[in-house]
Amino acid sequence: MPVTAKICGLSAPDTLAAAVAGGASHIGFVFFPPSPRHVTFDQAAALATLVPDHVERVGVFVDPEDALLDQAIRAARLDAIQLHRASPERAAAIGARTRLPVWAAVAVKARADLAAAHAFRGAAQRILYDAKTPDDARLPGGMGLRFDWTLLQGFDHSLPWALSGGLDAANVAEAAAISSARTVDVSSGVESAPGVKDAAKIAAFLHTVAML
């Protein structure tokens, strides 16, 4: 089974084109103003028109209100919703209300953190294991942090899952080999500066993934 890749935090046509051309299976639009990768509804709408049907558009949210979700879904024609800092109950409610697949982020630093994934059984369709950020961090991800990939070895996954947190072209092959991830998610690892995607880095990342 090939490894697939999501390029997250895209905000410009040229780097979105690089993600599509490189074979990304998913692209992510961030709807969270504190993030340097935040896109407005107008930006997302324009970018969404450039995404072919075989690539899924994922909206990334942090504990969102329904009104935000509704506007983002319409603007970006989202295929899935990725939730950070949302309870299983809220994830289930959002999935039922929007009728879209839900990716639930689980922040990981220690093996015990993985257990939170089990609570999303029946509430989400995919788990995104991401590195836990500091308690005082404004952002739940996209900070280039990684966790110990060996923590995932032998874990009984309740749902399909993806690996995120500190990935880049230099380490994604090792990360996939150690964790057995079949979907990987990258954001800061393909940037030249926070929020500034780099087409060459996107191409290199996706080339490496394609070889796995």
Side-chain angles (χ1 to χ4, degrees):
M1 181 178 176
V3 177
T4 59
K6 172 171 162 279
I7 306 296
C8 197
L10 290 161
S11 59
D14 61 329
T15 48
L16 189 151
V20 171
S25 58
H26 301 77
I27 57 94
F29 297 133
V30 175
F31 296 95
F32 184 56
S35 171
R37 302 163 189 93
H38 171 70
V39 290
T40 65
F41 299 131
D42 286 344
Q43 283 178 296
L47 292 168
T49 65
L50 306 177
V51 182
D53 290 342
H54 68 274
V55 178
E56 293 195 21
R57 297 174 292 270
V58 182
V60 180
F61 303 89
V62 180
D63 191 22
E65 296 182 352
D66 288 344
L68 171 60
L69 286 165
D70 292 346
Q71 288 180 278
I73 289 167
R74 285 195 301 268
R77 293 180 290 140
L78 297 179
D79 298 300
I81 294 170
Q82 178 178 315
L83 297 174
H84 292 259
R85 298 177 182 165
S87 68
E89 293 76 18
R90 179 60 176 149
I94 287 172
R97 184 175 175 277
T98 64
R99 298 185 181 180
L100 290 176
V102 170
W103 297 30
V106 170
V108 180
K109 184 175 183 180
R111 174 83 174 187
D113 296 325
L114 299 177
H118 294 312
F120 286 96
R121 184 184 298 158
Q125 283 64 54
R126 187 186 297 267
I127 297 297
L128 180 74
Y129 295 109
D130 199 359
K132 182 176 287 188
T133 57
D135 291 340
D136 59 352
R138 295 183 70 198
L139 305 180
M143 298 177 65
L145 303 176
R146 55 179 277 188
F147 65 92
D148 180 359
W149 302 316
T150 65
L151 297 177
L152 291 166
Q153 293 179 347
F155 183 68
D156 181 20
H157 297 282
S158 301
L159 292 164
W161 59 279
L163 177 65
S164 187
L167 300 179
D168 56 33
N171 67 22
V172 66
E174 178 186 9
I178 290 173
S179 69
S180 298
R182 307 316 294 169
T183 301
V184 292
D185 184 316
V186 66
S187 186
S188 62
V190 290
E191 292 180 342
S192 56
V196 181
K197 290 291 184 288
D198 185 302
K201 290 184 177 182
I202 290 172
F205 183 88
L206 291 172
H207 176 75
T208 301
V209 170
M211 298 297 104
L212 300 178

